[in-house]
Amino acid sequence: MGFIGLCDCNNFFVSCERVFRPDLEGRPVVVLSNNDGCIVARSNEAKALGIKMGTPLYQVRDLVRRHDIAVFSSNYQLYGDMSQRVMDILRQAAPSIEVYSIDEAFLNLDEMPLETLEPFARNLSARIRREVGIPVSIGISPTKTLAKIASKLCKQYPKLGGGCLMYRVQDVEKVLSRFPVGSIWGIGRRSGAKLQAMGIDTALGFYNLPQAAVYSMFTVTGLRTWKELHGEPCIGFEDVQPDRQTVCISRSFAREMTTIEELDAAISTFTGKVAEKLRRAHLYALQMSVFILTNRFREDRPQSYQMKTTLFEVATDDTLEMSERAARSLREIFRPGFAYKKAGVMVTRLVPRGGVQASFLDTVDRGKRSQLMDVIDNINRTSGNYTVRLASQGEMDQFSSRTMTSRRFTTSWDEIMEVKV
């Protein structure tokens, strides 16, 4: 029997803030989305107060004051760096890993003896807490779906020490009897509602359905989840990340924009970030879309959604070439008299660097441009984001309102932690 682990960082954004603010331990903490709009992360203390994920901040202002809740704007540079530190430790400890999200990764533990798995999980959890400061829950089971459930069990029961091995049928069935059917990985909102309408509220109820009935009601996807709950691996392990299909950067603005000059700076900045992501992933783009839209919640104002999609003659990751094309697209879709609330740049039809089809009519010196982009990326990597940028670009933070952002403790020399002795 092979085993898969799932390492899940507990309340990740909140935990990142607490690493550098130990005074926040035991105090309710929430982290907000872009523009400080909605709550996207909550500490256990905040959850206990009844604060739901996605709740707009203005709806809980009184609760925040009454319970002295610490509120933070999202600090993605800090969170991204802390995530990388956790993933580096996982790569050192496990034969191979599959990064699933910024705060989750699957571990391939097939070659490890059964008796070593539980101590491994607890020791690894303790190591990450000691070296990075982030509490994690590591669930180990024969399938990805069961490993996810085992990791959630760790969060509910601190006595497990951050590691839970779940594989015996009697143990699986006992856990499933208390696990909500709508919380199963792979059971969507519609399927969950369908099961509850049938009187099935727990994962065990779904587990006990006949295989033929599951296939009839939920087709192949539901059957795959059902088999995973029975310990039959149906979701493969991918230790090599598949190539991305799209890259998109978009923002809702802190205030509505009415001039093309304001939008031009935003689109240029988003394009530069997209190009940087392409280079980091060793990909080129053949197609780019620029879009702008008004505030759909403002019924008192005229609404507009405009998008322009263009093709590059030769696939590219060149900031200069892409920014020029994006500016041209913006001028085609901009309409005076509208107040734009959101804009974005998306590239599709991505190809690996080695798979680019050249053109005899190409007028761009791609060798020199590639060298230039490498120099810019290296400078920005060592000296800080946006140290070198196009004159038309701004900084990402200027296009959204984040008034309660913590320091970038691990990625900026200017914001490094200060220790007073």
Side-chain angles (χ1 to χ4, degrees), residues 100-174:
Y100 182 67
S101 66
I102 191 172
D103 62 346
E104 290 180 286
F106 288 105
L107 317 176
N108 187 347
L109 307 176
D110 279 350
E111 300 176 3
M112 296 185 63
L114 175 62
E115 64 274 10
T116 66
L117 291 175
E118 199 160 28
F120 167 82
R122 292 177 177 173
N123 291 336
L124 180 56
S125 177
R127 178 186 172 188
I128 293 171
R129 184 62 187 266
R130 181 176 64 252
E131 296 185 14
V132 185
I134 300 295
V136 302
S137 297
I138 301 177
I140 300 177
S141 212
T143 70
K144 283 185 172 181
T145 303
L146 287 175
K148 276 238 177 197
I149 293 174
S151 72
K152 292 181 184 295
L153 208 61
C154 290
K155 296 182 180 182
Q156 296 174 14
Y157 300 100
K159 65 180 181 180
L160 292 174
C164 175
L165 172 63
M166 185 178 72
Y167 69 98
R168 294 182 299 183
V169 173
Q170 61 269 33
D171 294 336
V172 170
E173 292 182 350
K174 181 180 179 180

Side-chain angles (χ1 to χ4, degrees), residues 32-40 54-59 61 401:
L32 306 176
S33 61
N34 282 327
N35 295 325
D36 294 343
C38 299
I39 293 168
V40 296
T55 301
L57 179 62
Y58 76 87
Q59 291 183 3
R61 287 283 188 191
S401 175

Side-chain angles (χ1 to χ4, degrees), residues 244-248 271-288 312 315-319 322 346-351 353 377:
R244 302 179 68 165
Q245 301 301 309
T246 63
V247 176
C248 180
T271 305
K273 193 65 177 176
V274 166
E276 180 189 337
K277 284 180 173 286
L278 286 174
R279 294 193 291 272
R280 197 181 306 152
H282 305 289
L283 295 171
Y284 288 126
L286 273 167
Q287 183 169 290
M288 181 173 67
F312 294 105
T316 184
D317 65 357
D318 182 350
T319 299
M322 294 173 66
M346 178 174 65
V347 290
T348 52
R349 299 181 63 181
L350 308 186
V351 295
R353 278 188 178 175
D377 290 343

Side-chain angles (χ1 to χ4, degrees), residues 284-298:
Y284 288 126
L286 273 167
Q287 183 169 290
M288 181 173 67
S289 300
V290 174
F291 58 90
I292 52 176
L293 60 155
T294 53
N295 188 348
R296 60 189 178 91
F297 297 106
R298 291 293 301 270

